[in-house]
DNA sequence: GTCACCCATCGACAGACGTCGAATCAGAGG
DNA sequence: CCTCTGATTCGACGTCTGTCGATGGGTGAC
């Protein structure tokens, strides 16, 4: 299950710009990361770039996953226990399944503390996606 | 086939900030549009918001579609004929199928001029997606 | 230990999705 | 008119995916 790690490193090459929250995020050596993806308007994506980038968008392409992600992202303290976000209209196994997908896409990280499992947003991957969308909103 | 229109209007409520390209884009009356989606970190998305927003991400969640979109977005003049972007490794009907999906998601618009059909990026929807991702990359 | 609780995994199923070839539609030009 | 070319639609097929109930694994309390 090394998907999470590979997606996380995928991003870090994408940070052409400065990040103000470098204190919070672990700093990875650039040479260990594979390049992720330029803005979609810059040049046509290669097949591999598209394959890699599509996984991130696909992870947010399901309504339930999007709600779960939003619940974690907006939760107090930046993290949420599974029991806090299980009320999205699907069964508990399904919630677990979607959280796993989000984890595999590198969008969330999980940590067990005692009885509960806490999920937390991986900001770097979000930033990579935003960068891929380009500067339309500037 | 009113999907394109509804997605386009979905965005325009999202423009809390000024837009410099209002000359290019049609200006829609805000009261005719349904709100799209706040940043994912601001508050949990409702079911309808998630449903609507997920469609946009889903559209970019396929490698072939992502490449097609990138080909249009990066093409000279901001638009591309289908014949210019049909070399992505799938058959021509499949290309047409994916372009239709991107159109229905509001990400592309198409226009027939003589023999050829030209596709063009809809910048507003991209902006809405970027805004939904929040300010991680700022 | 035993029980209760939280969460993940398993197995199965229906529906959605990507893909193709064939057919069809739309213009341009004989 | 007919034909050629570009693009979409149709019908079919295999695969992927979201969902569930049942089961299992881990942790804390009694």
């Amino acid at each position: 299950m090394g998907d999470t790690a590979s997606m996380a490193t995928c991003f870090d090459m994408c940070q052409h710009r400065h990040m103000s929250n470098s204190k919070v995020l672990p700093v990875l050596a650039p040479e260990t990361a594979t390049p992720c993806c330029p803005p979609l308007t810059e040049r046509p994506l290669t097949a591999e770039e598209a394959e890699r980038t599509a996984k991130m968008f696909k992870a947010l392409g399901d309504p339930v996953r999007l709600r779960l992600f939003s619940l974690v992202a907006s939760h107090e303290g930046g993290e949420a226990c599974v029991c806090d976000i299980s009320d999205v209209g699907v069964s508990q196994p399904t919630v677990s399944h979607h959280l796993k997908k989000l984890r595999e896409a590198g969008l969330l990280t999980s940590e067990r503390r005692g009885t509960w499992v806490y999920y937390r947003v991986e900001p770097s991957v979000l930033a990579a996606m935003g960068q891929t969308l380009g500067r339309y909103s500037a």
Side-chain angles (χ1 to χ4, degrees), chain A:
Chain A
M1 207 180 288
D3 286 343
T4 301
S6 64
M7 291 305 293
T9 54
C10 151
F11 153 74
D12 291 273
M13 277 297 286
C14 295
Q15 288 308 86
H16 305 141
R17 284 163 295 150
H18 61 285
M19 292 189 59
S20 57
N21 51 354
S22 54
K23 285 202 297 279
V24 176
L25 295 173
V27 178
L28 300 181
E31 63 270 14
T32 65
T34 52
C36 174
C37 37
L40 293 173
T41 54
E42 193 176 297
R43 59 165 176 79
L45 260 51
T46 67
E48 301 100 67
E49 285 172 338
E51 201 82 38
R52 216 168 339 104
T53 309
K55 283 182 184 156
M56 302 191 270
F57 285 104
K58 193 174 193 176
L60 292 182
D62 178 88
V64 174
R65 279 199 291 271
L66 203 52
R67 287 188 75 189
L68 287 172
F69 184 87
S70 176
L71 280 162
V72 173
S74 64
H75 201 266
E76 175 185 24
E79 67 178 10
C81 169
V82 177
C83 56
D84 291 329
I85 60 177
S86 292
D87 197 22
V88 289
V90 295
S91 70
Q92 187 271 323
T94 302
V95 169
S96 194
H97 171 249
H98 283 305
L99 288 173
K100 182 179 183 178
K101 285 288 191 73
L102 288 168
R103 225 187 322 131
E104 290 174 347
L107 295 172
L108 293 179
T109 59
S110 65
E111 181 194 358
R112 171 161 219 135
R113 287 206 294 274
T115 304
W116 295 279
V117 176
Y118 291 89
Y119 280 80
R120 176 176 288 276
V121 171
E122 186 64 54
S124 57
V125 182
L126 266 288
M129 292 177 68
Q131 182 172 320
T132 299
L133 290 179
R135 296 292 97 208
Y136 281 109
S137 55

Short mmCIF file of all heavy atoms in Angstrom, two decimals, chain A residues 68-124:
data_model
loop_
_atom_site.label_atom_id
_atom_site.label_comp_id
_atom_site.label_asym_id
_atom_site.label_seq_id
_atom_site.Cartn_x
_atom_site.Cartn_y
_atom_site.Cartn_z
N LEU A 68 -17.20 13.86 2.55
CA LEU A 68 -16.30 13.37 3.60
C LEU A 68 -15.05 14.23 3.67
O LEU A 68 -14.61 14.63 4.76
CB LEU A 68 -15.91 11.91 3.32
CG LEU A 68 -17.00 10.87 3.55
CD1 LEU A 68 -16.55 9.50 3.05
CD2 LEU A 68 -17.37 10.80 5.03
N PHE A 69 -14.51 14.53 2.52
CA PHE A 69 -13.31 15.37 2.49
C PHE A 69 -13.60 16.74 3.09
O PHE A 69 -12.83 17.26 3.90
CB PHE A 69 -12.80 15.51 1.07
CG PHE A 69 -11.51 16.27 0.98
CD1 PHE A 69 -10.31 15.63 1.11
CD2 PHE A 69 -11.52 17.64 0.80
CE1 PHE A 69 -9.11 16.33 1.04
CE2 PHE A 69 -10.33 18.36 0.73
CZ PHE A 69 -9.12 17.69 0.85
N SER A 70 -14.72 17.31 2.70
CA SER A 70 -15.08 18.62 3.22
C SER A 70 -15.30 18.58 4.73
O SER A 70 -14.95 19.51 5.44
CB SER A 70 -16.35 19.09 2.52
OG SER A 70 -16.80 20.32 3.05
N LEU A 71 -15.86 17.48 5.21
CA LEU A 71 -16.08 17.35 6.66
C LEU A 71 -14.75 17.32 7.40
O LEU A 71 -14.61 17.93 8.46
CB LEU A 71 -16.88 16.07 6.94
CG LEU A 71 -18.39 16.19 6.74
CD1 LEU A 71 -19.04 14.82 6.61
CD2 LEU A 71 -19.01 16.96 7.89
N VAL A 72 -13.79 16.62 6.84
CA VAL A 72 -12.47 16.59 7.48
C VAL A 72 -11.80 17.95 7.38
O VAL A 72 -11.29 18.49 8.36
CB VAL A 72 -11.58 15.51 6.84
CG1 VAL A 72 -10.16 15.60 7.39
CG2 VAL A 72 -12.15 14.13 7.07
N ALA A 73 -11.85 18.52 6.18
CA ALA A 73 -11.13 19.77 5.93
C ALA A 73 -11.67 20.91 6.77
O ALA A 73 -10.92 21.81 7.18
CB ALA A 73 -11.21 20.13 4.45
N SER A 74 -12.96 20.90 7.02
CA SER A 74 -13.56 22.02 7.75
C SER A 74 -13.71 21.72 9.24
O SER A 74 -14.22 22.55 9.99
CB SER A 74 -14.94 22.33 7.17
OG SER A 74 -15.81 21.24 7.36
N HIS A 75 -13.26 20.56 9.66
CA HIS A 75 -13.47 20.19 11.05
C HIS A 75 -12.48 20.91 11.96
O HIS A 75 -11.35 21.19 11.56
CB HIS A 75 -13.30 18.67 11.22
CG HIS A 75 -13.95 18.12 12.45
ND1 HIS A 75 -13.27 17.96 13.63
CD2 HIS A 75 -15.21 17.72 12.68
CE1 HIS A 75 -14.10 17.46 14.54
NE2 HIS A 75 -15.29 17.30 13.99
N GLU A 76 -12.96 21.17 13.13
CA GLU A 76 -12.16 21.85 14.15
C GLU A 76 -10.83 21.13 14.39
O GLU A 76 -10.81 19.92 14.56
CB GLU A 76 -12.98 21.91 15.44
CG GLU A 76 -12.27 22.48 16.64
CD GLU A 76 -13.18 22.36 17.87
OE1 GLU A 76 -14.06 21.47 17.86
OE2 GLU A 76 -13.01 23.13 18.80
N GLY A 77 -9.77 21.88 14.36
CA GLY A 77 -8.46 21.30 14.60
C GLY A 77 -7.82 20.71 13.36
O GLY A 77 -6.72 20.17 13.43
N GLY A 78 -8.53 20.76 12.22
CA GLY A 78 -7.97 20.24 10.99
C GLY A 78 -7.99 18.73 10.89
O GLY A 78 -7.45 18.17 9.94
N GLU A 79 -8.61 18.10 11.84
CA GLU A 79 -8.71 16.64 11.75
C GLU A 79 -10.06 16.20 12.31
O GLU A 79 -10.70 16.94 13.06
CB GLU A 79 -7.58 15.97 12.53
CG GLU A 79 -7.66 16.19 14.03
CD GLU A 79 -6.53 15.48 14.78
OE1 GLU A 79 -5.61 14.98 14.12
OE2 GLU A 79 -6.61 15.42 16.01
N ALA A 80 -10.47 14.99 11.92
CA ALA A 80 -11.77 14.49 12.36
C ALA A 80 -11.69 12.99 12.58
O ALA A 80 -11.04 12.27 11.81
CB ALA A 80 -12.83 14.82 11.32
N CYS A 81 -12.37 12.55 13.62
CA CYS A 81 -12.53 11.12 13.87
C CYS A 81 -13.57 10.58 12.89
O CYS A 81 -14.47 11.31 12.46
CB CYS A 81 -12.98 10.91 15.30
SG CYS A 81 -13.52 9.23 15.66
N VAL A 82 -13.43 9.35 12.51
CA VAL A 82 -14.38 8.74 11.59
C VAL A 82 -15.80 8.83 12.14
O VAL A 82 -16.75 9.11 11.42
CB VAL A 82 -14.01 7.27 11.33
CG1 VAL A 82 -15.03 6.61 10.43
CG2 VAL A 82 -12.63 7.18 10.71
N CYS A 83 -15.90 8.69 13.46
CA CYS A 83 -17.23 8.72 14.06
C CYS A 83 -17.87 10.10 13.94
O CYS A 83 -19.09 10.23 14.01
CB CYS A 83 -17.15 8.30 15.53
SG CYS A 83 -16.00 9.30 16.51
N ASP A 84 -17.05 11.13 13.73
CA ASP A 84 -17.59 12.49 13.60
C ASP A 84 -18.18 12.74 12.22
O ASP A 84 -18.99 13.67 12.06
CB ASP A 84 -16.48 13.52 13.83
CG ASP A 84 -16.02 13.54 15.28
OD1 ASP A 84 -16.84 13.26 16.17
OD2 ASP A 84 -14.83 13.83 15.52
N ILE A 85 -17.77 11.98 11.23
CA ILE A 85 -18.12 12.30 9.84
C ILE A 85 -18.87 11.17 9.16
O ILE A 85 -18.98 11.13 7.95
CB ILE A 85 -16.85 12.60 9.03
CG1 ILE A 85 -15.92 11.39 9.04
CG2 ILE A 85 -16.13 13.81 9.59
CD1 ILE A 85 -14.67 11.58 8.20
N SER A 86 -19.42 10.25 9.96
CA SER A 86 -20.04 9.05 9.38
C SER A 86 -21.48 9.26 8.97
O SER A 86 -22.14 8.33 8.51
CB SER A 86 -19.96 7.88 10.36
OG SER A 86 -18.61 7.47 10.54
N ASP A 87 -21.97 10.48 9.10
CA ASP A 87 -23.39 10.71 8.83
C ASP A 87 -23.58 11.36 7.48
O ASP A 87 -24.02 12.50 7.37
CB ASP A 87 -23.98 11.58 9.95
CG ASP A 87 -25.50 11.49 9.94
OD1 ASP A 87 -26.03 10.50 9.40
OD2 ASP A 87 -26.14 12.43 10.45
N VAL A 88 -23.25 10.64 6.43
CA VAL A 88 -23.40 11.18 5.08
C VAL A 88 -24.37 10.37 4.24
O VAL A 88 -24.42 10.50 3.03
CB VAL A 88 -22.04 11.25 4.35
CG1 VAL A 88 -21.18 12.35 4.95
CG2 VAL A 88 -21.33 9.91 4.41
N GLY A 89 -25.15 9.51 4.92
CA GLY A 89 -26.21 8.82 4.21
C GLY A 89 -25.85 7.46 3.65
O GLY A 89 -26.65 6.85 2.96
N VAL A 90 -24.64 7.01 3.91
CA VAL A 90 -24.25 5.67 3.46
C VAL A 90 -23.80 4.86 4.67
O VAL A 90 -23.55 5.42 5.75
CB VAL A 90 -23.13 5.72 2.41
CG1 VAL A 90 -23.62 6.39 1.14
CG2 VAL A 90 -21.91 6.41 2.95
N SER A 91 -23.67 3.56 4.49
CA SER A 91 -23.33 2.68 5.60
C SER A 91 -21.89 2.90 6.05
O SER A 91 -21.08 3.51 5.36
CB SER A 91 -23.51 1.22 5.18
OG SER A 91 -22.51 0.87 4.25
N GLN A 92 -21.60 2.40 7.22
CA GLN A 92 -20.27 2.59 7.78
C GLN A 92 -19.17 1.94 6.93
O GLN A 92 -18.12 2.56 6.71
CB GLN A 92 -20.27 2.06 9.23
CG GLN A 92 -19.01 2.34 10.00
CD GLN A 92 -17.99 1.23 9.81
OE1 GLN A 92 -18.34 0.07 9.72
NE2 GLN A 92 -16.72 1.61 9.74
N PRO A 93 -19.36 0.73 6.43
CA PRO A 93 -18.33 0.18 5.54
C PRO A 93 -18.08 1.04 4.31
O PRO A 93 -16.93 1.17 3.86
CB PRO A 93 -18.91 -1.18 5.15
CG PRO A 93 -19.78 -1.56 6.27
CD PRO A 93 -20.38 -0.27 6.78
N THR A 94 -19.14 1.64 3.80
CA THR A 94 -18.96 2.49 2.62
C THR A 94 -18.15 3.74 2.96
O THR A 94 -17.29 4.16 2.18
CB THR A 94 -20.34 2.88 2.05
OG1 THR A 94 -21.05 1.70 1.72
CG2 THR A 94 -20.18 3.72 0.82
N VAL A 95 -18.41 4.30 4.12
CA VAL A 95 -17.61 5.45 4.56
C VAL A 95 -16.15 5.05 4.63
O VAL A 95 -15.27 5.76 4.13
CB VAL A 95 -18.10 5.96 5.93
CG1 VAL A 95 -17.11 6.97 6.50
CG2 VAL A 95 -19.48 6.57 5.80
N SER A 96 -15.89 3.92 5.22
CA SER A 96 -14.52 3.45 5.36
C SER A 96 -13.88 3.24 3.99
O SER A 96 -12.70 3.56 3.78
CB SER A 96 -14.51 2.14 6.16
OG SER A 96 -13.22 1.81 6.58
N HIS A 97 -14.65 2.71 3.09
CA HIS A 97 -14.16 2.48 1.73
C HIS A 97 -13.76 3.79 1.06
O HIS A 97 -12.70 3.89 0.43
CB HIS A 97 -15.24 1.76 0.92
CG HIS A 97 -14.95 1.66 -0.53
ND1 HIS A 97 -15.66 2.35 -1.48
CD2 HIS A 97 -14.02 0.95 -1.21
CE1 HIS A 97 -15.17 2.07 -2.68
NE2 HIS A 97 -14.18 1.22 -2.55
N HIS A 98 -14.59 4.80 1.20
CA HIS A 98 -14.30 6.09 0.56
C HIS A 98 -13.11 6.77 1.22
O HIS A 98 -12.28 7.38 0.54
CB HIS A 98 -15.53 6.98 0.62
CG HIS A 98 -16.57 6.63 -0.38
ND1 HIS A 98 -16.32 6.52 -1.72
CD2 HIS A 98 -17.88 6.32 -0.23
CE1 HIS A 98 -17.42 6.19 -2.36
NE2 HIS A 98 -18.39 6.04 -1.48
N LEU A 99 -13.02 6.66 2.52
CA LEU A 99 -11.87 7.26 3.20
C LEU A 99 -10.58 6.60 2.74
O LEU A 99 -9.54 7.25 2.59
CB LEU A 99 -12.03 7.12 4.72
CG LEU A 99 -13.09 8.02 5.35
CD1 LEU A 99 -13.28 7.67 6.82
CD2 LEU A 99 -12.72 9.49 5.19
N LYS A 100 -10.65 5.31 2.49
CA LYS A 100 -9.47 4.62 1.97
C LYS A 100 -9.08 5.15 0.60
O LYS A 100 -7.90 5.37 0.31
CB LYS A 100 -9.75 3.11 1.90
CG LYS A 100 -8.57 2.30 1.41
CD LYS A 100 -8.88 0.81 1.38
CE LYS A 100 -7.68 0.01 0.97
NZ LYS A 100 -7.96 -1.45 1.00
N LYS A 101 -10.07 5.36 -0.24
CA LYS A 101 -9.81 5.92 -1.57
C LYS A 101 -9.14 7.28 -1.47
O LYS A 101 -8.18 7.57 -2.19
CB LYS A 101 -11.12 6.04 -2.36
CG LYS A 101 -11.67 4.72 -2.89
CD LYS A 101 -10.84 4.21 -4.02
CE LYS A 101 -11.50 3.05 -4.75
NZ LYS A 101 -12.64 3.47 -5.57
N LEU A 102 -9.65 8.11 -0.58
CA LEU A 102 -9.07 9.44 -0.41
C LEU A 102 -7.65 9.34 0.13
O LEU A 102 -6.78 10.15 -0.23
CB LEU A 102 -9.95 10.27 0.54
CG LEU A 102 -11.29 10.72 -0.04
CD1 LEU A 102 -12.20 11.26 1.05
CD2 LEU A 102 -11.07 11.78 -1.11
N ARG A 103 -7.42 8.34 0.97
CA ARG A 103 -6.08 8.13 1.49
C ARG A 103 -5.14 7.69 0.38
O ARG A 103 -4.02 8.20 0.23
CB ARG A 103 -6.13 7.07 2.59
CG ARG A 103 -5.33 7.41 3.84
CD ARG A 103 -5.30 6.24 4.81
NE ARG A 103 -6.55 5.51 4.87
CZ ARG A 103 -6.64 4.19 4.79
NH1 ARG A 103 -5.54 3.46 4.65
NH2 ARG A 103 -7.81 3.58 4.88
N GLU A 104 -5.61 6.77 -0.45
CA GLU A 104 -4.78 6.26 -1.54
C GLU A 104 -4.47 7.33 -2.57
O GLU A 104 -3.45 7.28 -3.25
CB GLU A 104 -5.47 5.07 -2.21
CG GLU A 104 -5.51 3.83 -1.34
CD GLU A 104 -6.33 2.72 -1.97
OE1 GLU A 104 -7.06 2.98 -2.95
OE2 GLU A 104 -6.25 1.59 -1.49
N ALA A 105 -5.37 8.29 -2.69
CA ALA A 105 -5.13 9.39 -3.63
C ALA A 105 -4.22 10.45 -3.03
O ALA A 105 -3.87 11.41 -3.70
CB ALA A 105 -6.46 10.03 -4.04
N GLY A 106 -3.86 10.28 -1.77
CA GLY A 106 -2.95 11.22 -1.13
C GLY A 106 -3.63 12.44 -0.57
O GLY A 106 -2.97 13.37 -0.11
N LEU A 107 -4.96 12.46 -0.59
CA LEU A 107 -5.67 13.66 -0.14
C LEU A 107 -5.85 13.68 1.37
O LEU A 107 -6.00 14.75 1.96
CB LEU A 107 -7.04 13.73 -0.82
CG LEU A 107 -6.98 13.93 -2.33
CD1 LEU A 107 -8.37 13.80 -2.94
CD2 LEU A 107 -6.42 15.29 -2.67
N LEU A 108 -5.87 12.52 1.98
CA LEU A 108 -6.04 12.44 3.43
C LEU A 108 -4.96 11.53 4.02
O LEU A 108 -4.43 10.65 3.35
CB LEU A 108 -7.42 11.86 3.80
CG LEU A 108 -8.66 12.69 3.45
CD1 LEU A 108 -9.92 11.93 3.87
CD2 LEU A 108 -8.61 14.05 4.12
N THR A 109 -4.65 11.78 5.28
CA THR A 109 -3.81 10.86 6.04
C THR A 109 -4.59 10.42 7.26
O THR A 109 -5.46 11.15 7.75
CB THR A 109 -2.50 11.53 6.47
OG1 THR A 109 -2.81 12.67 7.27
CG2 THR A 109 -1.69 11.97 5.28
N SER A 110 -4.29 9.23 7.75
CA SER A 110 -5.02 8.72 8.90
C SER A 110 -4.05 8.33 10.00
O SER A 110 -2.89 7.97 9.74
CB SER A 110 -5.87 7.52 8.50
OG SER A 110 -5.04 6.45 8.10
N GLU A 111 -4.55 8.41 11.20
CA GLU A 111 -3.73 8.06 12.36
C GLU A 111 -4.64 7.50 13.44
O GLU A 111 -5.68 8.09 13.74
CB GLU A 111 -3.00 9.31 12.88
CG GLU A 111 -2.10 9.04 14.07
CD GLU A 111 -1.68 10.35 14.74
OE1 GLU A 111 -2.07 11.42 14.23
OE2 GLU A 111 -1.00 10.29 15.76
N ARG A 112 -4.23 6.38 13.99
CA ARG A 112 -5.02 5.78 15.07
C ARG A 112 -4.51 6.31 16.41
O ARG A 112 -3.32 6.25 16.70
CB ARG A 112 -4.90 4.26 15.02
CG ARG A 112 -5.49 3.57 16.22
CD ARG A 112 -5.78 2.10 15.94
NE ARG A 112 -7.03 1.72 16.56
CZ ARG A 112 -7.97 1.01 15.98
NH1 ARG A 112 -7.81 0.62 14.76
NH2 ARG A 112 -9.06 0.69 16.64
N ARG A 113 -5.44 6.79 17.22
CA ARG A 113 -5.09 7.21 18.56
C ARG A 113 -6.08 6.55 19.51
O ARG A 113 -7.22 7.02 19.65
CB ARG A 113 -5.14 8.72 18.70
CG ARG A 113 -3.97 9.42 18.00
CD ARG A 113 -3.64 10.77 18.61
NE ARG A 113 -4.68 11.75 18.42
CZ ARG A 113 -4.80 12.53 17.35
NH1 ARG A 113 -3.95 12.41 16.36
NH2 ARG A 113 -5.77 13.39 17.26
N GLY A 114 -5.64 5.49 20.15
CA GLY A 114 -6.53 4.75 21.04
C GLY A 114 -7.63 4.08 20.25
O GLY A 114 -7.37 3.40 19.26
N THR A 115 -8.84 4.33 20.67
CA THR A 115 -9.96 3.67 20.02
C THR A 115 -10.27 4.27 18.66
O THR A 115 -10.73 3.57 17.77
CB THR A 115 -11.21 3.78 20.93
OG1 THR A 115 -10.89 3.24 22.21
CG2 THR A 115 -12.38 3.02 20.33
N TRP A 116 -9.97 5.55 18.49
CA TRP A 116 -10.45 6.25 17.32
C TRP A 116 -9.38 6.44 16.26
O TRP A 116 -8.18 6.47 16.57
CB TRP A 116 -11.01 7.62 17.73
CG TRP A 116 -12.20 7.49 18.60
CD1 TRP A 116 -13.50 7.24 18.22
CD2 TRP A 116 -12.22 7.55 20.03
NE1 TRP A 116 -14.32 7.17 19.31
CE2 TRP A 116 -13.56 7.35 20.44
CE3 TRP A 116 -11.25 7.75 21.01
CZ2 TRP A 116 -13.94 7.36 21.78
CZ3 TRP A 116 -11.62 7.75 22.34
CH2 TRP A 116 -12.97 7.55 22.72
N VAL A 117 -9.84 6.61 15.03
CA VAL A 117 -8.95 6.89 13.90
C VAL A 117 -9.25 8.29 13.40
O VAL A 117 -10.40 8.62 13.13
CB VAL A 117 -9.14 5.86 12.77
CG1 VAL A 117 -8.29 6.24 11.57
CG2 VAL A 117 -8.82 4.47 13.25
N TYR A 118 -8.21 9.10 13.31
CA TYR A 118 -8.38 10.49 12.91
C TYR A 118 -7.86 10.69 11.49
O TYR A 118 -6.79 10.19 11.14
CB TYR A 118 -7.63 11.42 13.87
CG TYR A 118 -8.27 11.46 15.24
CD1 TYR A 118 -7.88 10.56 16.24
CD2 TYR A 118 -9.25 12.39 15.54
CE1 TYR A 118 -8.48 10.59 17.49
CE2 TYR A 118 -9.84 12.44 16.79
CZ TYR A 118 -9.46 11.53 17.77
OH TYR A 118 -10.04 11.56 19.00
N TYR A 119 -8.63 11.43 10.72
CA TYR A 119 -8.23 11.76 9.36
C TYR A 119 -7.90 13.25 9.27
O TYR A 119 -8.52 14.08 9.92
CB TYR A 119 -9.35 11.40 8.37
CG TYR A 119 -9.36 9.94 8.03
CD1 TYR A 119 -9.93 9.01 8.89
CD2 TYR A 119 -8.78 9.48 6.86
CE1 TYR A 119 -9.94 7.66 8.58
CE2 TYR A 119 -8.78 8.13 6.54
CZ TYR A 119 -9.37 7.23 7.40
OH TYR A 119 -9.37 5.90 7.09
N ARG A 120 -6.93 13.54 8.41
CA ARG A 120 -6.40 14.89 8.29
C ARG A 120 -6.10 15.17 6.82
O ARG A 120 -5.73 14.28 6.07
CB ARG A 120 -5.12 14.96 9.13
CG ARG A 120 -4.36 16.25 9.09
CD ARG A 120 -3.18 16.19 10.05
NE ARG A 120 -3.60 16.25 11.45
CZ ARG A 120 -3.85 17.39 12.09
NH1 ARG A 120 -3.71 18.54 11.46
NH2 ARG A 120 -4.23 17.38 13.34
N VAL A 121 -6.28 16.42 6.41
CA VAL A 121 -6.06 16.80 5.02
C VAL A 121 -4.58 16.90 4.72
O VAL A 121 -3.80 17.38 5.56
CB VAL A 121 -6.76 18.14 4.71
CG1 VAL A 121 -6.35 18.66 3.34
CG2 VAL A 121 -8.27 17.99 4.78
N GLU A 122 -4.20 16.45 3.55
CA GLU A 122 -2.83 16.64 3.06
C GLU A 122 -2.82 17.87 2.16
O GLU A 122 -3.19 17.80 1.00
CB GLU A 122 -2.39 15.40 2.27
CG GLU A 122 -0.95 15.42 1.83
CD GLU A 122 0.01 15.43 3.00
OE1 GLU A 122 -0.09 14.54 3.86
OE2 GLU A 122 0.83 16.34 3.04
N PRO A 123 -2.39 19.01 2.69
CA PRO A 123 -2.56 20.26 1.94
C PRO A 123 -1.77 20.28 0.63
O PRO A 123 -2.20 20.92 -0.33
CB PRO A 123 -2.00 21.33 2.89
CG PRO A 123 -1.86 20.65 4.22
CD PRO A 123 -1.67 19.20 3.94
N SER A 124 -0.66 19.58 0.58
CA SER A 124 0.21 19.67 -0.60
C SER A 124 -0.49 19.19 -1.86
O SER A 124 -0.33 19.77 -2.93
CB SER A 124 1.47 18.87 -0.36
OG SER A 124 1.15 17.53 -0.05
#
